[in-house]
Amino acid sequence: MTEPLIACDRLCVELGGAKVLDGLSLSVHEGDFLAVLGPNGGGKTTLLKVMLGLVKPSSGSVTVFGKEPGQASGRIGYVPQRLDFDRSFPISAMEVVLMGRLSRKKLFQRYGREDRQKALDALETTGLASLAQRRIGALSGGELQRALIARALAGEPELLLLDEPTASVDPEMKTTIYDLLDQLRKQHTIVLVTHDTGTIGRHVSRIACLNCTLDMHEPGSTLGRTALEKLYHFPVDVVEHRETQTPHRHA
Amino acid sequence: MPDFLHFEFMRNAFLAAILSSVACGIIGTYVVVRRLGFISGGIAHTAFGGIGLSYYLGLNPLAGIIPFSLAAAIGIGLLSRKARIAEDTAIGAFWAAGMSIGVILIGLTPGYAPNLFSYLFGNILTVPDSDLQLIMGLDCLIIAMVWLFDKEFLAISFDEEYARISGLKTVALDLLMLCLIALTVVIMVRVVGIVMVIALLTIPAAVARSFSRSLYGMMALGTLFSCIFSIAGLWLSWVFDLASGATIILVAALVFLVNALFGTGKTRRTAC
């Protein structure tokens, strides 16, 4: 068995004295498309931030590409939940996507032709090529989300970490984003944090339920009402987790 | 040549206005997009301690202003970013402590302090040649740093968390930017004085933002606006015999107000 890209072992995280993650063990292997489900405050974003090296665990261990988190920035593409930015910031979509090349650049090294080409490719993949010169504040919610995905892709990462990419977009855009992820999973290992219990099962290869502690659900199993109600503490839709080797197509 | 340019002090004043506008437009752009206006005010007021110190020791005021403003930039930056102290608390403490040091040291110095007022409210009409050279040197330094740290400064301004994930030393970059603000403050103290520095660091860049599509565009336009405000203010102060620094600020504030009232509709339209 190959070495996992991400390995968490009995990971605990405390933020401001409260335990956010408790004894979590998880491994993500190359080619996985893992969805992490769970209620707000269940530690989903914190888990991603631990993987990115932004939050230090209080006990337990994490390795990402066999190293301490934060040491492999060039191999990870991160898509934040939503960008708290000033909509009047004078910057084009292209310039934002170019930031995805930052981890591959040295200090004082300027963005070159290759960087621009990779950024354009990423905009092409996410369907935003025609909006490259648009001011970032003028993009719609769905376009902004895709621009953030493009920024992550521009760095040519092996691993994509996405924080609720469909939380702030309308249902149609949600389908577009999932179609995009179906396409991206062919070349990338993906970890996705989401609330989307409804459609997620059709797209991903593994599901983890996170509410301070973690339950893994492997392919073929159905995540029943009891498991989800235990997770969310109130009734939710059943997540059917079918194996989908054939890519999902949206009619 | 217009009549008021026959005087050397007037020519120096115009040169000072134009040269300081370069720093204002460039660094003001970062101040506006990163909302560092209050921290800039803190740095400027802390520098008053430096004026007091150099007055007490009988040195050139700049010998006190430069170290004090740099220390304020690094001190406020480190306290708020590393020591988990709220930024406005750190700013308030430095602001008042710097002013107090200045007041006490000036009080301890025998005799009357004649030039004090000009440091608080600026006196662009007394800028000597040596100060012009210093302002030009600082302008070059600021341009060089912004050119070198171009992509890093853009990244921490737009999305600091992403910059950190990408492996940038964001705290160090942040402190460097605060130091550049401190140097801009040093320049501006001559032109408009400690109390009014924030206005020229924010207003030209803020007005420029409504017309800019990129950060560089905003810097260029901010520099231009700053030039226009300073020259117009200087000319008006000459014609009506008013305090020059205050007139410059009022011209800027008036344009800012007009732009805020009538310019928002335009930005909203382009945003859709």
Side-chain angles (χ1 to χ4, degrees), chain B:
Chain B
M1 194 168 3
D3 59 342
F4 53 84
L5 285 186
H6 285 299
F7 301 97
E8 197 197 345
F9 71 89
M10 221 39 199
R11 282 199 297 275
N12 275 6
F14 272 84
L15 273 177
I18 292 167
L19 287 175
S20 62
S21 292
V22 174
C24 254
I26 295 173
I27 297 303
T29 293
Y30 291 121
V31 170
V32 167
V33 298
R34 297 195 65 203
R35 302 177 183 210
L36 299 174
F38 190 43
I39 202 170
S40 310
I43 293 170
H45 283 80
T46 311
F48 188 70
I51 292 171
L53 184 66
S54 37
Y55 187 70
Y56 182 71
L57 298 175
L59 301 168
N60 180 338
L62 288 171
I65 297 177
I66 293 177
F68 261 72
S69 58
L70 287 175
I74 293 171
I76 296 171
L78 279 181
L79 275 184
S80 58
R81 281 147 184 83
K82 285 282 182 195
R84 290 173 164 268
I85 290 172
E87 191 178 84
D88 56 344
T89 310
I91 294 169
F94 267 82
W95 183 310
M99 295 294 286
S100 306
I101 293 173
V103 168
I104 286 178
L105 286 175
I106 288 164
L108 286 176
T109 313
Y112 174 66
N115 291 324
L116 217 53
F117 204 68
S118 81
Y119 286 105
L120 285 174
F121 300 101
N123 194 351
I124 198 173
L125 301 177
T126 59
V127 177
D129 286 340
S130 62
D131 277 16
L132 284 180
Q133 285 157 9
L134 179 87
I135 295 178
M136 208 184 307
L138 290 178
D139 273 346
C140 291
L141 180 68
I142 287 169
I143 292 172
M145 294 307 254
V146 167
W147 191 80
L148 278 176
F149 291 96
D150 156 42
K151 66 180 193 309
E152 287 80 11
F153 280 169
L154 179 65
I156 62 166
S157 302
F158 182 69
D159 189 349
E160 189 160 348
E161 184 182 66
Y162 197 84
R164 195 151 87 228
I165 291 167
S166 303
L168 293 189
K169 304 256 178 291
T170 49
V171 176
L173 286 165
D174 209 19
L175 289 178
L176 177 65
M177 193 184 275
L178 290 177
C179 287
L180 292 180
I181 293 175
L183 293 180
T184 311
V185 163
V186 172
I187 296 175
M188 301 314 297
V189 164
R190 258 298 179 201
V191 180
V192 289
I194 283 173
V195 177
M196 293 181 283
V197 164
I198 321 181
L200 275 197
L201 267 178
T202 52
I203 294 176
V207 175
R209 180 167 61 176
S210 348
F211 306 99
S212 312
R213 299 180 61 86
S214 74
L215 216 54
Y216 280 139
M218 190 169 155
M219 288 174 182
L221 212 52
T223 301
L224 182 69
F225 280 131
S226 180
C227 269
I228 294 172
F229 298 157
S230 326
I231 291 175
L234 200 51
W235 180 75
L236 286 172
S237 72
W238 168 266
V239 172
F240 296 105
D241 196 19
L242 304 169
S244 53
T247 314
I248 291 171
I249 299 297
L250 281 184
V251 169
L254 194 67
V255 174
F256 176 71
L257 200 66
V258 169
N259 182 63
L261 289 178
F262 302 103
T264 43
K266 188 185 163 290
T267 13
R268 212 170 288 145
R269 265 200 303 281
T270 48
C272 294

Side-chain angles (χ1 to χ4, degrees), chain A residues 6-13 20-27 36 42-44 47 50-51 59-62 208-215:
Chain A
I6 302 174
C8 304
D9 186 27
R10 283 160 293 169
L11 174 70
C12 295
V13 174
V20 183
L21 296 175
D22 188 8
L24 181 146
S25 294
L26 167 79
S27 55
V36 180
K44 304 193 298 296
L47 178 61
V50 170
M51 292 170 177
S59 68
S61 74
V62 201
C209 292
L210 181 65
N211 190 0
C212 204
T213 56
L214 185 101
D215 280 324

